[in-house]
Amino acid sequence: MRGSVNRPPTPEAEDGRQDQHLSLQEIINIKLVESGEKERLKELLRERLIECGWRDEMKELCRSFVRKKGKNNVTVEDLINVITPKGRASVPDSVKAELLQHIRSFLGSAAL
Amino acid sequence: MSLPNDKNGNMSFNSQLSAHLFSDLLDSIIVDVASECHRTARLGLDCNLEIEEEELRLSAEARARLSDPSNGGDVNGKYIVDIFGQTHPPVANDIFECMNCGQSIMAGRFAPHLEKCMGKGRKARLKARRSSRLAQNRYARGSYVSSHSQYSSTSQLSNDTSDTTGEGYSNGAYEDP
């Protein structure tokens, strides 16, 4: 596994024992990112959501919001608030199942 | 890394974690989509937006015009106005050349002209019969005469096309620096 060039130096060994504040979740998250799996999973999810038209739905929601509010009065937060509830709810079950399966298998391999 | 031994505990922790990771991924994709739409909107790159606004405006105008009680709303003076605000004369104006007889014909009068010209009507049929009988007689006497008449008519047509291509050519030549 290649280390990042710009990574700050790891903390000294003396404080090492105290730094076990990292929760299991954070450890797994770090593993996910470092192995590149998080990026792969994100790409997979993005591709599936494009295929099923979810992305176009979200863009249409944004567009109608922009039309109502006027394009110069819109912030990114506005759009995120517009999309998030509908977006979370309208992910197809098959897509969600596929991603969860990948995640679980990663967790399984990471636990070993 | 040791996970809790209890099977049920293991499963729920795992699925909780998976669900959390999944919504992490989904949220980051939502942010991506939102920021891209924001950029598109602010930069005015989404040309559909202006088109849709224009269409909304025009449809509102048309609706207003329809509800306007003057001649049923869609007749403006002499001509009828369509949804784009264009007027069309009741008889088509464009003039072109009939490919059968070579006359200059107005588009709106083309169908009746063709009927006469190509032989649907009574008079035309008589004309056709007469001319075909003449042609048959000619053919009987000698194929030279009928083929000659065919050749002359086709050459007339090819002359026309060559004229236009000739003009086109010369135009191109002049425009060439």
Side-chain angles (χ1 to χ4, degrees):
Chain A
M1 206 170 9
R2 273 186 10 210
S4 151
V5 175
N6 296 328
R7 193 197 288 180
T10 44
E12 299 72 57
E14 311 122 37
D15 291 353
R17 289 292 146 247
Q18 282 180 330
D19 256 30
Q20 289 289 19
H21 299 311
L22 287 177
S23 70
L24 186 58
Q25 199 169 289
E26 285 168 320
I27 294 175
I28 291 184
N29 208 12
I30 291 173
K31 278 205 168 227
L32 202 59
V33 172
E34 282 189 350
S35 64
E37 186 65 15
K38 188 164 200 187
E39 196 59 38
R40 276 193 291 272
L41 289 173
K42 189 175 172 189
E43 277 312 307
L44 177 64
L45 180 59
R46 190 183 285 140
E47 194 181 312
R48 291 286 178 262
L49 290 177
I50 291 177
E51 281 172 7
C52 71
W54 176 93
R55 189 167 191 264
D56 294 330
E57 277 180 47
M58 298 303 118
K59 283 173 76 172
E60 191 50 46
L61 285 176
C62 289
R63 239 186 263 149
S64 56
F65 181 82
V66 166
R67 230 178 288 144
K68 266 191 308 193
K69 215 172 174 221
K71 67 178 184 175
N72 288 323
N73 306 334
V74 176
T75 67
V76 184
E77 283 82 25
D78 286 340
L79 292 180
I80 293 178
N81 292 334
V82 168
I83 297 182
T84 296
K86 187 81 198 299
R88 285 198 186 140
S90 64
V91 176
D93 289 332
S94 56
V95 174
K96 189 167 184 180
E98 189 181 352
L99 263 295
L100 285 176
Q101 189 195 6
H102 276 93
I103 293 173
R104 281 202 203 103
S105 69
F106 175 82
L107 290 179
S109 66
L112 291 172
Chain B
M1 179 167 17
S2 55
L3 296 169
N5 262 342
D6 180 26
K7 262 269 162 109
N8 281 343
N10 211 354
M11 294 294 276
S12 70
F13 177 79
N14 242 356
S15 42
Q16 214 181 35
L17 187 54
S18 314
H20 178 86
L21 288 171
F22 176 77
S23 46
D24 250 359
L25 290 173
L26 187 60
D27 283 343
S28 96
I29 291 189
I30 285 178
V31 170
D32 287 348
V33 173
S35 91
E36 187 189 323
C37 286
H38 177 261
R39 171 183 180 268
T40 305
R42 287 293 286 241
L43 292 182
L45 291 179
D46 188 9
C47 51
N48 282 342
L49 206 63
E50 281 89 53
I51 295 176
E52 283 168 8
E53 287 172 3
E54 188 69 13
E55 279 182 17
L56 284 172
R57 200 174 55 81
L58 282 176
S59 66
E61 257 178 54
R63 237 175 280 145
R65 217 180 290 153
L66 280 178
S67 58
D68 186 11
S70 63
N71 296 339
D74 57 351
V75 175
N76 178 16
K78 197 171 165 198
Y79 299 123
I80 296 192
V81 180
D82 70 12
I83 59 172
F84 296 110
Q86 294 172 337
T87 61
H88 302 281
V91 181
N93 273 349
D94 291 20
I95 296 193
F96 66 99
E97 202 181 276
C98 168
M99 55 284 296
N100 200 32
C101 64
Q103 293 178 24
S104 293
I105 308 292
M106 204 170 81
R109 305 295 310 160
F110 187 48
H113 165 81
L114 263 192
E115 284 177 0
K116 290 196 217 94
C117 178
M118 296 189 79
K120 173 221 163 206
R122 199 167 39 99
K123 285 192 177 167
R125 215 177 294 149
L126 289 174
K127 217 174 36 168
R129 213 178 294 154
R130 223 173 355 112
S131 65
S132 73
R133 204 175 295 150
L134 281 176
Q136 280 178 7
N137 287 340
R138 279 200 208 119
Y139 187 74
R141 283 193 207 130
S143 54
Y144 175 72
V145 182
S146 57
S147 59
H148 179 69
S149 61
Q150 279 176 16
Y151 176 74
S152 60
S153 56
T154 48
S155 69
Q156 192 179 34
L157 278 177
S158 61
N159 265 343
D160 291 343
T161 50
S162 65
D163 269 349
T164 47
T165 48
E167 280 175 22
Y169 243 79
S170 58
N171 277 345
Y174 282 140
E175 283 168 23
D176 244 355

